[in-house]
Amino acid sequence: MISEPELVDDTAFPAAETVRMDPPPRAPRPRRPWLWALGGAVVASAVWAGGLYAYERSQDGGPDLGGYRTVENLCARAELKALSVELGEKSTDAETPTEKHPALDRARCSTTLGSPETGYSAVVVYDLHKVTDPGPEFEPRIAESGTDTEPVAGLGERAFFHRDEDDSGAWMRVLDGQVELEIWIYAQQNWDAETNQSLPSTKKVDLSGIDTVLAQDMKALMAALKK
């Protein structure tokens, strides 16, 4: 308790002043963390989902190949029965060894339809993509060929057909999930050393309606590659 001021030599000392001790100013409160926490949760969720996706792919061995598998004998699978009726029976086969890679397997078969001297040559290509999706690049690469193409309904996810105006050749390409397929027929050429020019050796036929023939053989090939 503070007493009254004392007198010393009749002199009054002023009353003691009460000193007010104010508390130090508080540091500003941090912003509520819910906004960045929510953002962090979203990022964490995306990272988790991506990690789960990568984990699931590592567990199941990669994308779904839709029943397709690596083949060692593409010429045997590509019987080309419809083309054989139209252009002649297969007379020669030349199979390239399957190229195997962790991301891509490629098989290729070359054959002749009809007489080896005057028939059409045919090439069958089978690309099995075991890691990446070939879909986004399928149509752009066809467009890069600079040839007129027609879409083909009822074959895989997407399919295109091209026929040369002079009936020197035609091709059909199909995308079916992780697989790209191509059947290509073309007229053979011989090289004349005296004239330094190429001479056609194939006896050309009217290729009108060859798209239907190619589609039949493509469907049969797709089924055979899943066996």
Side-chain angles (χ1 to χ4, degrees):
M1 182 177 70
I2 302 175
S3 61
E4 292 294 328
E6 296 180 357
L7 295 175
V8 178
D9 297 333
D10 297 330
T11 301
F13 288 92
E17 295 182 0
T18 302
V19 179
R20 183 177 179 180
M21 300 295 293
D22 292 326
R26 290 185 179 182
R29 295 178 62 184
R31 295 180 180 178
R32 292 186 178 183
W34 69 272
L35 286 176
W36 62 260
L38 178 60
V42 172
V43 173
S45 177
V47 171
W48 178 85
L52 178 61
Y53 176 73
Y55 173 79
E56 290 176 345
R57 285 176 62 89
S58 68
Q59 293 298 304
D60 64 14
D64 181 7
L65 301 182
Y68 289 102
R69 61 195 67 190
T70 302
V71 299
E72 301 290 350
N73 53 348
L74 183 59
C75 286
R77 304 293 180 95
E79 296 181 339
L80 306 182
K81 291 182 177 180
L83 283 171
S84 295
V85 172
E86 189 75 18
L87 303 177
E89 293 290 333
K90 290 168 66 177
S91 56
T92 61
D93 281 341
E95 187 147 15
T96 303
T98 301
E99 300 175 12
K100 298 179 183 178
H101 185 275
L104 173 68
D105 286 350
R106 165 168 283 192
R108 181 184 178 98
C109 168
S110 300
T111 188
T112 303
L113 300 168
S115 166
E117 292 78 23
T118 61
Y120 277 83
S121 291
V123 174
V124 181
V125 181
Y126 170 47
D127 287 346
L128 177 61
H129 298 263
K130 297 181 289 184
V131 176
T132 58
D133 178 11
E137 298 180 0
F138 181 69
E139 290 187 39
R141 285 194 284 106
I142 289 179
E144 287 177 358
S145 67
T147 57
D148 297 329
T149 60
E150 301 174 10
V152 181
L155 278 177
E157 294 179 16
R158 281 167 282 173
F160 292 91
F161 164 76
H162 167 77
R163 172 192 168 197
D164 294 337
E165 294 181 355
D166 60 354
D167 287 333
S168 61
W171 54 257
M172 184 169 289
R173 298 178 185 173
V174 174
L175 172 71
D176 190 23
Q178 295 294 123
V179 166
E180 292 180 279
L181 290 162
E182 178 180 357
I183 300 178
W184 175 31
I185 60 172
Y186 60 95
Q188 300 183 78
Q189 303 282 333
N190 288 329
W191 186 259
D192 189 334
E194 294 184 359
T195 61
N196 201 30
Q197 293 180 342
S198 61
L199 300 174
S201 62
T202 295
K203 183 179 180 181
K204 292 183 181 180
V205 300
D206 184 1
L207 294 181
S208 299
I210 201 66
D211 55 334
T212 302
V213 177
L214 283 168
Q216 292 174 357
D217 280 337
M218 185 67 80
K219 286 183 178 180
L221 175 61
M222 292 167 68
L225 289 170
K226 296 182 180 181
K227 294 181 178 179

